């Protein structure tokens, strides 16, 4: 093959690469300090949502999720999404407030249950918010600030709620140190954090499911229109194939 021919084909291959690169749509997102949804190890980010992102990219190669290296607090993440600074957030409950502010892709990525954790020596096993209220003034429920669990617990008239913690790990330390009687959080993240913090000998999850919640992708109303449509199509394929269930299985609370 002549040098001219070689250069021609090299140019064609290069141009094809540029076209492919130009066709890719970057999906901007943020990670919250909520393990195992996102797990940070140095500059490496892994976790359930990262696995879901990779599966979406496999189904639709036109979509490419931006790399994540740091956590962003949930309130700031939602504010950035509202402003259009990012396109999507992964694994949030589709609350009415979020439905009003954002575009919700109403496909369940996974399902969690709202549960209570307590110290190992806790005798009470409350089955309702009223049961907790009857336990007295020390029956303080710990939640993470500005989460679905905080809103649910705070909506219970007469229930004592401490929502100062920024993450589940902080609440576990408060519980162990007697600065609350229960933690209210989802089983998925709570079980993982108890294990991660080596507190299985001090903390237990009570055998009562207070709520059942499914988690979704929410999209900024300022995101490019094709992002929502392509994400919806990809997630629909992953749901129909059973792949989302397989992705969640290793992370599911045992």
């Amino acid at each position: 093959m002549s040098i001219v021919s070689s250069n021609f084909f090299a140019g064609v291959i290069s141009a094809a690469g540029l076209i492919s690169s130009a066709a890719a749509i970057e999906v901007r997102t943020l990670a919250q300090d909520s393990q195992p949804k996102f797990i940070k190890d140095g500059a490496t980010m892994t976790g359930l949502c990262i696995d879901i992102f990779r599966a979406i990219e496999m189904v639709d190669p036109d979509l490419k999720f931006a790399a994540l290296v740091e956590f962003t607090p949930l309130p700031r993440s939602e504010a950035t999404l509202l402003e259009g600074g990012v396109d999507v957030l992964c694994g949030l409950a589709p609350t009415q407030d979020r439905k009003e502010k954002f575009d919700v892709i109403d496909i369940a990525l996974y399902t969690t249950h709202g549960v209570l954790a307590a110290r190992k020596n806790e005798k009470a096993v409350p089955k309702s918010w009223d049961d907790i209220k009857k336990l007295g003034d020390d029956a303080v429920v710990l939640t993470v600030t500005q989460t679905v669990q905080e809103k649910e617990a705070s909506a219970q008239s007469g229930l004592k709620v401490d929502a100062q913690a920024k993450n589940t790990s902080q609440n576990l330390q408060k519980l162990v140190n007697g600065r609350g009687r229960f933690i209210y959080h989802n089983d998925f993240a709570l079980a993982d954090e108890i294990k991660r913090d080596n507190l299985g000998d001090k903390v237990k999850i009570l055998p009562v499911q207070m709520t059942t919640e499914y988690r979704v992708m929410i999209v900024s109303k300022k995101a490019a229109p094709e992002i929502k449509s392509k994400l919806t199509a990809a997630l629909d394929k992953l749901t129909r194939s059973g792949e989302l269930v397989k992705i969640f299985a290793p992370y599911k609370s045992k």
Side-chain angles (χ1 to χ4, degrees), residues 76-140:
R76 193 191 309 164
S77 295
E78 292 198 50
T80 305
L81 190 71
L82 187 63
E83 295 165 358
V86 293
D87 302 307
V88 304
L89 295 179
C90 172
L92 299 185
T95 62
Q96 186 58 41
D97 180 59
R98 287 173 179 151
K99 289 179 179 179
E100 292 172 359
K101 291 180 180 178
F102 311 111
D103 289 332
V104 172
I105 298 178
D106 200 21
I107 296 174
L109 302 177
Y110 56 95
T111 301
T112 63
H113 305 283
V115 295
L116 297 167
R119 290 181 291 277
K120 278 283 190 177
N121 61 357
E122 177 61 62
K123 298 292 193 297
V125 184
K127 294 179 172 58
S128 68
W129 298 119
D130 285 339
D131 286 350
I132 296 177
K133 295 174 194 176
K134 294 174 185 176
L135 293 175
D137 292 339
D138 72 328
V140 175

Side-chain angles (χ1 to χ4, degrees), residues 206-218:
L206 303 182
V208 177
Q209 294 178 354
M210 306 290 280
T211 59
T212 297
E213 303 162 345
Y214 68 99
R215 302 304 173 106
V216 299
M217 289 264 195
I218 61 174

Side-chain angles (χ1 to χ4, degrees), residues 5 8 28 37 52 86 124 140 143 216 222 236 248:
S5 297
F8 172 77
R28 300 167 301 163
K37 188 168 72 170
I52 292 173
V86 293
V140 175
T143 67
V216 299
K222 296 183 179 181
D236 183 61
F248 182 52

